[in-house]
Amino acid sequence: MKFANIILLAGIFAAVLPLILHLLGRARYTPVQWGAMMFLARKPQGTGDGYRRRQWGLLLLRGGAIALLAFALARPMLSSTANTSDAQRLAVVIVIDASPSMGHMEHAESRLDLARRTALTVLGQLRRGDQVGLITLGQPANTDVPLTTDLQDIASRLASLKVAVAPATISDGQRRAAALLAQIEEVPREVYIISDRDRIAWAEIEPRGAQTGSARTTAVKTIAIPVGSTANDNAWIESITLTDGLPVPGVPVNIEINVRNGSNVDRVQMPMTVRDADELIDQVSIDVPAMSTVTVRRRVVLARAGSHMLTATIGPAGIPRDDTASLAVDVVDPFRVLAITDSLDADEFAHLRLALMPYAVSGSQGVDIARLRVVKIDDWPSLDPRRESVVILAGVPMLLDRHVQALENFVADGGGLLITPSDRTTPQSWNASVYLDGDGLAPASIESFSDRAALAMSLTASPLAGKWIKQPMTIDVQKRAIFGDAAAESRVIDYADAAPMVLRRNFGQGRVLAMSLPATSGWSTLASSPKYLPLMQSMIRYLGSARVSERNRPTSSTLEARFSSPQDRSAWVARPDGRADRIPMTMSNDAGLAVYSNTDLPGIYNIRTAGTRGVDFVIFGAHRDSALELLSDAELQSLCKAADITLVKPDAISARIGQSRRGPELTLPLVVGVLSLLGLELLVAHRTTTLRQRRGQ
């Protein structure tokens, strides 16, 4: 037998208190001789042996009740019923949550720090010969540490623990703990689950009797220790995006950063920075009202062509991991645009030239996004997407077969094509040259041309990165092409009457846009409107980026990286969780293609081969842990009760450790015994008083 509060056994000495009070009570009475008393007749009143026995019985009952109460307060426990060799051993599995929500900062330390300290408290209470295993939620099952008697190794692993990338569920920890404990012999077993109150993690907890594992694991005692407060004061970056398509070196580019405040308190003057790798390129202070999202628009300049990694950071604002968001950006040299026409009228391309090369045309200092070259159809050049980024087919009335074939090859190899009508275009020439009953380059046929005035145009679900139309804009249209039936996903810009203005189509590796108006002046006031420059620049950026692989993708996307003349036929993938996967490469014409599809976690992935820095990809996903939906104490208590889990506060965990080794407590039976003795004492006292009163009559 053992005692949880052995010092309280000293209260047993208080059992002599009733005897002392009895003796002190007798000492207060002094016999006084009074002469007149001699004439009174003597009558015995309870001075016999029976009365004395009852008095001594009352003293024993009162002293016994006090001694038994002291014994109960000392919390005696029976020893384990296991065999003698195993009675002093214990098997413990520590399940510690390291999911992103555990990175939330509270009073200069994270919830993971609180969980680590609690786990070390559990570890410090174990004895030599005890077995302990470690499960880290947020990391895969193959990282679980099996049961071992090396407590120092477990302590070292706890000290080096970091916040993981993946989300976690308590039910996953239950199953993994059952698997570890199923491998041992019959000894007392305990599981300690140390986590915060994240509602999503606890939502899938398995109810009583549903835990998987062998039959012997059903007797395992499970103790849950919640760490951290119930405060929900997190703010995070939901996304960072480019709004102008591929940037050009030296040309300002617009980015949008969405910041969410999930707390009930306004965030005022919260700092935000934007870095290009390690270089600070922008900083600002922002205000985010409670329970709302703010879109921050900034203009940044990227000085060199090539691959960039932009990182926006706020805070600190709760969970450090979601205080940042990254964006992979490819900066390209100015787009090379080739316009093919059957007319070399200088005035016809003046507006287009000014829209694409405003600095060169005006003679001002600055960097243009494109270089425009105009050729006549009779001087048809050879087309190569490695030399020309975009071709504008400016209202050619009829194309020869070799011209059509050259354009199809150009677009299929990754080039961009903009097709526009002109006064020389007819429905027959358009449909026969570029539509070809749906097999050609154009996304739709032209049915006719229509006259209309004062039409509004508005952006639909646009594949163009530039959000240059904030509100519908009205232009005067004297003539426009009426497209045939077009799929909804091909629409980029519509008129107010729902007719399409700009359509799109993917062709091979390239992209095609078709306009119902000329890209040059004529037919409308579009070329003289303030939206013409951003419209043309956005379309050129969109068409010219077809050959550039999209490096910002959602989870579960397939990543592809191409390497010229690789030294090895395999590549390495560095994952956000720190793991490195080796994958084979497919070789073709001295070039290698590496494909990777295990993108289950958000973060940065790097695919590289020997001798290269590799290609970075950003995988984005839902901010599952950012919202910090926390369970109340009552909700957590209800969940644990349904799953037969004992809920213990961190400061009370020492008293719970090793309870399987100690056996059941006797406190409750002893308290019942105390109450029984007191009841018996009342009964005997009442009986004694009644008899005394009868004898006194």
Side-chain angles (χ1 to χ4, degrees):
M1 181 176 292
K2 297 182 180 181
F3 298 89
N5 299 316
I6 193 169
I7 193 172
L8 294 182
L9 282 178
I12 293 178
F13 294 104
V16 300
L17 185 61
L19 178 60
I20 295 174
L21 293 175
H22 173 70
L23 296 176
L24 291 176
R26 291 186 59 184
R28 292 187 326 194
Y29 298 97
T30 303
V32 177
Q33 298 295 331
W34 181 32
M37 292 294 295
M38 62 185 296
F39 300 105
L40 298 177
R42 293 179 178 271
K43 186 175 182 180
Q45 296 184 6
T47 57
D49 293 338
Y51 177 77
R52 291 191 182 94
R53 284 195 297 269
R54 283 191 292 271
Q55 289 296 323
W56 282 110
L58 285 173
L59 287 176
L60 290 176
L61 287 174
R62 292 164 182 166
I66 294 176
L68 198 60
L69 179 61
F71 197 71
L73 293 177
R75 295 177 58 191
M77 291 164 287
L78 294 177
S79 299
S80 174
T81 56
N83 61 69
T84 305
S85 60
D86 289 339
Q88 301 303 317
R89 294 173 53 196
L90 190 68
V92 170
V93 174
I94 299 175
V95 180
I96 186 168
D97 187 359
S99 60
S101 68
M102 295 294 288
H104 187 272
M105 301 300 294
E106 296 187 6
H107 307 294
E109 61 180 349
S110 67
R111 290 176 179 168
L112 183 61
D113 294 331
L114 300 176
R116 189 194 339 266
R117 189 161 62 242
T118 303
L120 291 173
T121 299
V122 173
L123 201 63
Q125 296 294 320
L126 300 180
R127 303 174 184 173
R128 180 175 298 178
D130 288 339
Q131 299 181 74
V132 60
L134 180 63
I135 295 174
T136 304
L137 299 182
Q139 294 183 357
N142 58 14
T143 63
D144 294 350
V145 181
L147 292 169
T148 176
T149 57
D150 190 352
L151 305 185
Q152 187 60 44
D153 177 63
I154 300 297
S156 299
R157 292 176 183 270
L158 287 171
S160 61
L161 200 61
K162 296 181 180 180
V163 177
V165 179
T169 60
I170 302 301
S171 60
D172 179 48
Q174 289 177 285
R175 290 188 290 268
R176 289 157 65 177
L180 290 185
L181 293 174
Q183 304 171 6
I184 65 169
E185 59 191 43
E186 191 67 31
V187 297
R189 299 174 300 280
E190 293 182 349
V191 175
Y192 290 86
I193 300 175
I194 309 173
S195 175
D196 60 3
R197 295 173 172 83
D198 182 22
R199 184 180 299 275
I200 297 177
W202 285 93
E204 300 178 7
I205 188 173
E206 297 188 357
R208 182 183 306 176
Q211 290 92 337
T212 59
S214 67
R216 69 176 63 184
T217 63
T218 58
V220 172
K221 289 188 177 181
T222 303
I223 298 96
I225 312 170
V227 296
S229 67
T230 58
N232 179 7
D233 57 353
N234 190 39
W236 65 94
I237 299 180
E238 290 186 328
S239 63
I240 172 173
T241 56
L242 284 174
T243 62
D244 294 332
L246 287 178
V248 171
V251 177
V253 61
N254 294 309
I255 60 174
E256 284 188 355
I257 305 169
N258 290 323
V259 181
R260 174 71 179 176
N261 182 5
S263 70
N264 296 319
V265 180
D266 294 344
R267 297 274 183 170
V268 180
Q269 294 295 298
M270 182 169 59
M272 183 178 71
T273 61
V274 180
R275 294 182 178 274
D276 178 11
D278 295 330
E279 179 186 358
L280 178 66
I281 60 176
D282 188 56
Q283 59 183 347
V284 67
S285 295
I286 61 175
D287 297 336
V288 188
M291 303 302 295
S292 63
T293 301
V294 170
T295 299
V296 182
R297 297 179 175 89
R298 306 295 295 173
R299 286 174 65 84
V300 298
V301 177
L302 303 177
R304 61 173 180 82
S307 176
H308 293 252
M309 184 63 68
L310 300 185
T311 302
T313 305
I314 60 172
I319 301 177
R321 183 166 189 83
D322 58 22
D323 288 348
T324 65
S326 298
L327 179 70
V329 178
D330 288 299
V331 180
V332 299
D333 290 321
F335 298 97
R336 296 171 299 277
V337 181
L338 175 66
I340 301 177
T341 179
D342 62 349
S343 171
L344 287 180
D345 185 355
D347 294 336
E348 183 176 355
F349 290 91
H351 289 85
L352 181 60
R353 197 181 301 275
L354 182 61
L356 299 183
M357 302 188 303
Y359 292 105
V361 172
S362 63
S364 304
Q365 292 291 327
V367 180
D368 294 319
I369 73 157
R371 301 188 183 100
L372 176 63
R373 182 167 66 101
V374 181
V375 299
K376 197 171 183 180
I377 189 172
D378 297 337
D379 301 324
W380 190 279
S382 62
L383 303 178
D384 188 343
R386 291 171 295 184
R387 186 174 59 249
E388 287 85 25
S389 307
V390 179
V391 170
I392 300 177
L393 198 57
V396 177
M398 183 62 73
L399 295 178
L400 300 177
D401 290 343
R402 62 184 180 88
H403 297 156
V404 174
Q405 187 63 47
L407 286 174
E408 290 181 349
N409 292 339
F410 171 77
V411 177
D413 290 341
L417 175 64
L418 173 61
I419 311 174
T420 65
S422 70
D423 291 332
R424 297 170 296 278
T425 303
T426 64
Q428 293 77 17
S429 64
W430 177 285
N431 298 336
S433 298
V434 294
Y435 182 63
L436 300 175
D437 295 326
D439 294 329
L441 292 166
S445 63
I446 290 182
E447 294 183 346
S448 62
F449 293 93
S450 173
D451 297 334
R452 196 69 176 261
L455 287 172
M457 62 179 187
S458 60
L459 194 67
T460 60
S462 173
L464 302 183
K467 299 178 181 178
W468 40 268
I469 297 183
K470 303 301 178 186
Q471 307 223 344
M473 182 191 70
T474 300
I475 58 175
D476 292 330
V477 178
Q478 291 78 42
K479 183 180 180 180
R480 59 172 175 161
I482 303 300
F483 289 121
D485 293 338
E489 61 270 15
S490 68
R491 291 172 177 257
V492 177
I493 304 174
D494 285 347
Y495 293 105
D497 61 1
M501 175 185 172
V502 179
L503 297 174
R504 73 181 180 100
R505 181 185 181 186
N506 293 330
F507 191 93
Q509 299 180 33
R511 298 169 177 171
V512 179
L513 290 178
M515 290 182 62
S516 64
L517 298 174
T520 57
S521 58
W523 291 24
S524 72
T525 59
L526 175 63
S528 58
S529 72
K531 297 297 184 182
Y532 180 69
L533 184 146
L535 168 63
M536 298 310 302
Q537 289 194 0
S538 293
M539 289 198 294
I540 294 302
R541 288 180 191 269
Y542 170 72
L543 293 171
S545 62
R547 288 176 59 86
V548 179
S549 175
E550 177 57 53
R551 297 193 290 124
N552 304 280
R553 301 183 181 182
T555 53
S556 302
S557 297
T558 299
L559 309 180
E560 295 184 358
R562 291 176 169 82
F563 301 92
S564 59
S565 304
Q567 301 178 10
D568 196 359
R569 292 182 177 268
S570 62
W572 288 94
V573 181
R575 293 168 46 88
D577 55 4
R579 196 178 80 205
D581 293 343
R582 188 171 186 174
I583 56 175
M585 280 199 301
T586 302
M587 304 300 296
S588 176
N589 297 328
D590 202 27
L593 174 63
V595 180
Y596 187 74
S597 58
N598 189 18
T599 55
D600 54 327
L601 299 177
I604 299 176
Y605 292 72
N606 177 270
I607 303 179
R608 60 180 175 83
T609 61
T612 68
R613 66 173 299 273
V615 181
D616 290 328
F617 295 86
V618 175
I619 297 296
F620 54 87
H623 292 266
R624 173 182 174 183
D625 293 276
S626 300
L628 282 182
E629 296 184 21
L630 303 177
L631 294 170
S632 65
D633 290 340
E635 290 174 321
L636 187 57
Q637 181 71 45
S638 177
L639 283 174
C640 290
K641 183 177 180 181
D644 199 17
I645 295 177
T646 303
L647 191 62
V648 180
K649 294 182 179 180
D651 54 2
I653 190 59
S654 296
R656 301 291 307 187
I657 296 175
Q659 195 175 80
S660 298
R661 171 164 41 212
R662 295 191 294 264
E665 284 193 17
L666 300 178
T667 303
L668 183 59
L670 291 175
V671 170
V672 173
V674 171
L675 296 176
S676 300
L677 289 177
L678 292 176
L680 183 59
E681 188 271 343
L682 290 174
L683 182 62
V684 173
H686 177 72
R687 178 65 175 169
T688 302
T689 304
T690 302
L691 292 175
R692 186 175 182 181
Q693 290 175 349
R694 288 178 181 176
R695 293 178 179 178
Q697 294 177 352

